[in-house]
Amino acid sequence: MTVKVYVPCDTTAVSIGADRVAAQISAAAGSAGLDVMIVRNGSRGMFWLEPLVEVETSTGRIAYGPVKPSDVASLFASDFLRGGPHALRLGATDEIPYLKNQERLTFQRVGVIDPLSMEEYAAQGGWSGLQQAIVSAPAQIVAVVKESGLRGRGGAAFPTGIKWQTVLDTPADQKYIVCNADEGDSGTFADRMLMEGDPYCLIEGMIIAGLAVGATVGYIYLRSEYPRCWTTLNEAIRRCEAAGWLGKNVAGSNHAFHLEVRLGAGSYICGEETALLESLEGKRGEVRAKPPLPAHVGLFGKPTIVNNVITLATVPLLLARGGKFYADFGQGRSRGTLTLQLSGNIQRPGLIEKAFGLTLHELLYEYGGGSASGRPLRAVQAGGPLGAYIPTRDFDLPLDYEAFAQRGAMIGHGGIVAFDDTVDMRRMARFALEFCAEESCGKCTPCRIGSVRGVEVIDRIAQGEDRDKNLVLLESLCDTMQHGSLCAMGGMTPFPVQSALQHFPEDFER
Amino acid sequence: MIVKNTSSSGDQASRVSSVSADNLSRGVFVELQTRLGRDPGVDLGTPPSSQTRLVRALIDGAEVLVPAGTSVMRAAALAGIKIPKLCATDQLASFGSCRLCLVQIEGRRGFPASCTTPVEDGMQISTQSVRLAELRRNVMELYISDHPLDCLTCTANGNCELQDMAGVVGLREVRYGFAGENHFDKQSAEPKDESNPYFTFEPSKCIVCSRCVRACEEVQGTFALTISGRGFDSKVSASAGESFLDSECVSCGACVNVCPTATLSEKSLIQLGQAERTVTTTCAYCGVGCSFNAEVKGQQVVRMVPNKAGGANEGHACVKGRFAWGYASHPDRLKEPMIRASIDQPWRVVSWDEAFAYAASEIRRIQAKYGRKSVGGITSSRCTNEETWLVQKLIRTGFGNNNVDTCARVCHSPTGYGLKQTLGESAGTQDFLSVADSDVVVVMGANPTEGHPVFASRLKRRLREGAQLIVIDPRQIDLVRSPHIEAKYHLQLRPGTNVAMINGLAHVIASEGLIDEAFVEARCEKPAFDTWREFILRPGNSPEAVAEITGVPAEMIRAAARLYATARNGAIYYGLGVTEHSQGSTTVMGIANLAMATGNIGRRGVGVNPLRGQNNVQGSCDMGSYPHELPGYRSVKDEATRKLFNAYWNTEIDPEPGLRIPGMLNEAVAGSFKAMYIQGEDVAQSDPNTQHVQAALGNLECLIVQDIFFNETAKYAHVLLPGSSFLEKDGTFTNAERRISRVRKIVEPLAGLADWEVTVGFARALGVSMHYNHPSEIMDEVAALTPTFAGVSYEKLDRLGSIQWPCNDDRPNGSPIMHVEEFTRGLGKFIVTEYVPTKEKVTRKFPLILTTGRILTQYNVGAQTRRTDNVVWHHEDRLEIHAEDAAERGIADGDWVHIISRAGETKLRAKISERVQPGVVYTTFHFPESGANVVTTELSDWATNCPEYKVTAVEIRRSAEPTTWQVDFQATEQQQAELKSR
């Protein structure tokens, strides 16, 4: 009987040897004459356990990890193909607490299936959302999305249903669905994991979006640093076209939807939706002033939905299970689940999909297991490089958009980067401005010049040069950038700086 | 325009029009979408909104009523409230980068930029507060932290928006200091780019507002500039980091115009400093007729700035008008009258009076000897209406005959004829603005990006907005495919087959039920239409038959015809590629037929639009420069008209039409025509079959040449009367859209007299009574004698800026669009347009067709542009030849080749090009030594004698040997130069 062995093809797993592990298993099985089928699945998101090898047994999938190529021989020796005992044996995958305690909705199939297997996708609930959408009127689809309370997972948390309604209500001869897959925030990887682990889910979400607003063309704007996503998505699109999910008649209906992946060119600002549209149009990636909103005047001047990968990939579930099902998760105005990405100085980094409401403390210690260094945590940065630094006394914060905002922080795309007590917060503040100087599109003055001046001012502070005057100047600069910048990049760069100044003033006195 | 309005619920556009002066209340402002009455000197920050719904808001407590879509910045500016700005200008779409124009809006978070925020009903906006002042000052502080502090010695000193804004926001210190990273200190500053002959680019002064980049895109449509790098490294880059001269830049100056700092500065401004006064005048180059504000210091032009209020150009310009005016003070300018008894004698400098007396005595002597009709003259399409008027008046009264013609003979005479026959008026039907409403544009035998660049920019803007383009041209002109522009169809026909093509298009329209029957029924003569329909439906005009003739596939002809005929608004623009053929007039009539058949006449966005070659082609024709027509296109045979003129001029006008230019030249060769007065035309270079022209001129006993330079024709002259440039005189030009614009004297005439004064002097010496104190009095005479000009006066021109004729009691402000209710001739007349192939046929001996055209940086015979720095872009004419034809003849790029036709032989260097199809070669004719017209023939339009410049059968042969003509040319050149300098 053929034994299925799962070895992730996910970038993280591969970067630490998954390909070699897979090859070793295949070779060992071959020489032993064992009938093994290796399935390259997505990652389960427990990165400290990667490469995580799973074996399908009569009692379910049994996990081993982290597996090095050199471990393979001993695994065979331990009869791991039948779930045999081994130092790396983790037991049933689904019973690993890190995974068991999650509420995987958007990520329900990631790590479970062969990402490109049409059969497995369909078997695991794929396409049922689209089937529902095809028999629904556009307004009904939009109503479901509204009911779900889903908000943009890219970071801005704008209500998705409202955005869709705007595009639906804007008459035009052509509309577009654009997926923002330019996942550029430090400490984020949810988009990548989903695109590598369950690409059809994103495609299905985009087709539904197209049906909802009358758009017949979609683009996935993918960062060039994600070559595996590029390959996977293109193959997935090809297979969808062949299977009739994409094309002139989506699933045999009268609706057309064409989808294409476009590669970015390494600019962070192209993750900002208007700069993304400029780039997609073949222009310099420069922010547009709003209004007009992309929902009114978007790609090539046409009404356009621009949504993040996770947002769109959540949509099939909403249609399949109903808006209420999703809205029943979460709290306050933050409904559904959040795909948290835990990284930095943390013992158990990875992806955690949980309903809103989990506290930072629970996340960092119950899931993350505290710092990797063993030293006390001092701060986390939430929401990417433009997010505020949150000190330990605020770890009671529940993951909730409004709760975070009240304390001057943001959840953003759900990336949480942890730092222990050795972190120099002045350096982190400097990094924020340096990052802005590096990635600013250069269009507006506060961001273009302000970021450079900010680095210089912090350096003068570091050298003890007119420290008090320069601290005042730094605050003033932050104010100018926050309130004067054209887009969120310049407007939010002050957040990490101001939060560092506010919570860790002692670091600026040294 | 700002109008105060009390209307309480002004949500309808119609309410605005009912606003009257007596129901004004304080503080309510409305912008009317009119081009009149607004001070163009005030930059309102963003362009007007095209919406009609009105919205009302409060700005700093003042109520404003503006069209929806108007920016807060513009609304404030209309109400007289100035919001600081640097990246915004009403010439460009809002951009939102400088962040100086932030405002506060009640109920909104943060500080929105006023340039990118549209006014909404009920908005309450504050433009000033302590908080705003702080933000603006701090943004300015960032700007200045990366800007050199050399204001006192800076080119832009006194004219710098950055300096102004620093003052406005009250910047007093730069807390960041100047030691940080920057673009201005010795180590960091990039070198100044001085490669362009007319302006410099100084990167250290750049504030990266992108105005130049946006102007290059939005206004000019060339896309030569970009911002390269990002963040602090963002910088303006010409093409891919090239010098301005090496880049795709066409030197239109739009970038220089909008630059708020000294970064892009005119070299003349750098050299001379700020001007002391501004005079509005009109460009003397092409038929677009751009309005300029000449900035002047004493007798010196500092720079020519395109006039935002100029109807033709609305603030845009091209390399010629904007920069290439230095010829006016070139050392070659003629400064003294000269005479000589024969052309092998040295010139003798004389007084004006002596020159006039000599010229007059020669005319009289010749007339006594050879008869009254043995003399004639040519008016200039380069001169003003008033000057043209005087020359034809002198000839009709002083010479006593109608031997007057104009250089329009050799360019647009078929337009005058063809449109008169069909529509009833010898002029284009639209204003340039009209193209903004076109949905399908046909460009036939015209190359606007080279010949009419400012119109081309308007056209390209419309095409970028989505209008479709059909190009009918033997050559792949730029419009066929250039940045963000692509013609839907390029009908690349064989030269000389225009009529067949037009018939093919009309056949499709007639046979596929695409005729606008209602329009034809209501507006056109039925019998003529029926005859035409019967004709056009003949199989000989089918696309299949036409494909055989033109070489263009039948399906493409069908598709193009359908596209044009089904457009909401279809417009046809054409140029000399239509007129300069043996069937030029036929094609013009065919174009008019097409427009009438599809109902594309009489409103914005449609029409028949001749792109006139020279600044005053339209005007010179209007002013009665034709031998058969008195001013206003009235036949000399018409007794009533003659009577009118006889009475006014106290003369007896000859009822017989006179000679056309070719007629005069032929008669001169034959020996019966003996004297000519030529004002501002260089027939020896510009007219076809140069050797024939030279023979004619050489036979004259008295040739009086009035020109600003010693041109080719002057080599055969006996009297030289120095002309005055457009900077040296008052008058008017009439452009291709019938727009009469003032030319204003900026400096004194170099030789003491303006051209009109020269003609007056000559006329008086002939005994003709002419008394004018100012050209305005000549215009008054034009108005008194010409119905279409009845309402025109200098006073009104000063008031309105410009006027498009007809201007009379019915249309006191002129007529941007013609034939709105009915055609000038009443009912439009379809005319049968039978295709007759030209006699100029390709043979084994002359297997290729030569066609000619223009290039952007040079102008016609080049007399002006060759004497400017424009030669850096084009310093010689080249022969474009397809690689196949070149290979067959062993010709490589850059080789010298001989061009041999039935008329003559000349030599040029070859340029291998894919723009021409095999079998066709092409050249420009800007340099006299090129001898392009040595090879062109005397074949001409059947109706008007317009030469067939565009079709000459030739053979090309690789050879570096000089041609006989060029040897002669050099010898004459040397001889005449010696005679002049003696």
Side-chain angles (χ1 to χ4, degrees), chain B residues 291-442:
Chain B
S291 177
F292 280 90
N293 291 322
E295 295 187 0
V296 190
K297 183 181 254 179
Q299 289 283 298
Q300 178 87 51
V301 175
V302 175
R303 58 177 180 175
M304 297 286 274
V305 180
N307 178 10
K308 239 162 57 170
N313 56 317
E314 294 182 283
H316 191 37
C318 82
V319 61
K320 296 189 287 284
R322 180 76 158 87
F323 296 118
W325 36 269
Y327 68 86
S329 51
H330 193 276
D332 285 355
R333 279 289 301 276
L334 294 175
K335 298 183 190 71
E336 294 158 315
M338 293 188 281
I339 61 172
R340 62 182 174 183
S342 73
I343 62 169
D344 52 7
Q345 282 182 5
W347 285 100
R348 192 160 62 83
V349 173
V350 295
S351 69
W352 279 107
D353 283 343
E354 192 177 345
F356 294 146
Y358 179 74
S361 70
E362 278 295 280
I363 294 291
R364 292 299 181 230
R365 176 185 69 77
I366 289 162
Q367 284 188 311
K369 188 170 169 188
Y370 300 100
R372 181 169 52 88
K373 298 196 180 186
S374 62
V375 302
I378 302 178
T379 74
S380 176
S381 298
R382 318 301 320 282
C383 288
T384 64
N385 284 316
E386 293 75 4
E387 287 156 354
T388 307
W389 177 272
L390 292 190
V391 172
Q392 62 91 26
K393 180 177 176 181
L394 176 146
I395 289 164
R396 295 191 206 279
T397 60
F399 290 4
N401 62 40
N402 289 314
N403 289 338
V404 57
D405 207 351
T406 181
C407 39
R409 172 68 54 210
V410 301
C411 65
H412 265 290
S413 50
T415 290
Y417 177 84
L419 298 186
K420 178 98 177 172
Q421 296 300 308
T422 48
L423 312 179
E425 193 59 87
S426 299
T429 62
Q430 312 295 115
D431 58 358
F432 287 137
L433 183 63
S434 160
V435 79
D437 289 308
S438 298
D439 300 301
V440 171
V441 176
V442 179

Side-chain angles (χ1 to χ4, degrees), chain B residues 65-84:
Chain B
L65 191 61
V66 291
T70 304
S71 72
V72 168
M73 175 181 281
R74 186 179 177 94
L78 286 164
I81 298 166
K82 288 183 188 166
I83 300 174

Side-chain angles (χ1 to χ4, degrees), chain B residues 108-122:
Chain B
R108 291 213 184 175
R109 280 193 309 151
F111 305 89
S114 62
C115 62
T116 55
T117 306
V119 175
E120 286 172 19
D121 246 333

Side-chain angles (χ1 to χ4, degrees), chain A residues 92-112:
Chain A
T93 315
D94 292 339
E95 293 303 316
I96 299 171
Y98 195 90
L99 206 52
K100 187 182 181 186
N101 297 333
Q102 293 191 29
E103 287 142 325
R104 287 214 163 180
L105 302 182
T106 309
F107 272 69
Q108 57 180 315
R109 284 175 295 264
V110 176
V112 178

Side-chain angles (χ1 to χ4, degrees), chain B residues 13-246:
Chain B
S14 57
R15 289 188 183 273
V16 183
S17 58
S18 67
V19 174
S20 65
D22 47 24
N23 63 353
L24 304 180
S25 82
R26 279 192 64 195
V28 183
F29 299 87
V30 181
E31 172 165 2
L32 292 181
Q33 295 305 304
T34 163
R35 292 171 182 276
L36 302 173
R38 178 160 69 68
D39 176 4
V42 178
D43 191 319
L44 300 172
T46 64
S49 163
S50 57
Q51 296 182 39
T52 50
R53 186 173 65 89
L54 294 180
V55 291
R56 183 185 297 271
L58 281 179
I59 304 181
D60 292 345
E63 205 177 349
V64 297
L65 191 61
V66 291
T70 304
S71 72
V72 168
M73 175 181 281
R74 186 179 177 94
L78 286 164
I81 298 166
K82 288 183 188 166
I83 300 174
K85 60 181 171 60
L86 274 175
C87 69
T89 163
D90 56 15
Q91 304 263 69
L92 301 170
S94 63
F95 193 59
S97 80
C98 77
R99 315 313 286 174
L100 280 184
C101 73
L102 306 178
V103 293
Q104 285 167 294
I105 299 173
E106 195 68 37
R108 291 213 184 175
R109 280 193 309 151
F111 305 89
S114 62
C115 62
T116 55
T117 306
V119 175
E120 286 172 19
D121 246 333
M123 255 187 189
Q124 295 184 42
I125 300 144
S126 304
T127 73
Q128 299 292 348
S129 72
V130 174
R131 191 77 180 97
L132 286 169
E134 182 189 16
L135 281 171
R136 288 175 187 158
R137 198 162 47 239
N138 288 349
V139 170
M140 181 52 77
E141 183 184 15
L142 288 170
Y143 268 122
I144 303 304
S145 75
D146 187 27
H147 198 81
L149 293 184
D150 60 352
C151 290
L152 285 181
T153 53
C154 178
T155 324
N157 190 13
N159 190 19
C160 173
E161 293 182 41
L162 186 66
Q163 194 179 46
D164 295 347
M165 288 304 121
V168 163
V169 303
L171 183 68
R172 298 293 173 254
E173 64 167 333
V174 176
R175 293 169 292 172
Y176 303 102
F178 294 93
E181 203 181 330
N182 64 67
H183 296 91
F184 61 79
D185 66 17
K186 272 206 178 94
Q187 303 87 285
S188 320
E190 290 205 21
K192 204 166 164 177
D193 178 350
E194 299 188 294
S195 61
N196 185 291
Y198 299 117
F199 61 85
T200 63
F201 172 63
E202 194 174 353
S204 66
K205 302 248 163 109
C206 180
I207 60 168
V208 203
C209 63
S210 295
R211 276 202 202 175
C212 53
V213 176
R214 290 143 64 206
C216 193
E217 294 175 3
E218 295 174 31
V219 178
Q220 166 58 26
T222 290
F223 294 78
L225 300 183
T226 188
I227 301 286
S228 67
R230 68 184 188 219
F232 199 70
D233 297 331
S234 301
K235 62 175 184 184
V236 172
S237 173
S239 292
E242 292 167 64
S243 75
F244 268 74
L245 187 64
D246 294 336

Side-chain angles (χ1 to χ4, degrees), chain B residues 699-753:
Chain B
N699 262 4
L700 296 176
E701 291 188 10
C702 179
L703 174 58
I704 305 156
V705 166
Q706 182 175 340
D707 206 286
I708 60 174
F709 293 113
F710 192 87
N711 60 19
E712 296 306 306
T713 308
K715 291 172 181 170
Y716 301 88
H718 305 85
V719 179
L720 265 184
L721 304 173
S724 46
S725 78
F726 77 115
L727 298 172
E728 298 157 28
K729 57 198 183 187
D730 280 299
T732 57
F733 291 151
T734 306
N735 74 353
E737 32 162 24
R738 295 166 281 103
R739 185 185 301 279
I740 309 160
S741 303
R742 279 281 274 120
V743 177
R744 291 187 176 86
K745 187 162 97 172
I746 289 160
V747 299
E748 290 303 317
L750 224 54
L753 295 182

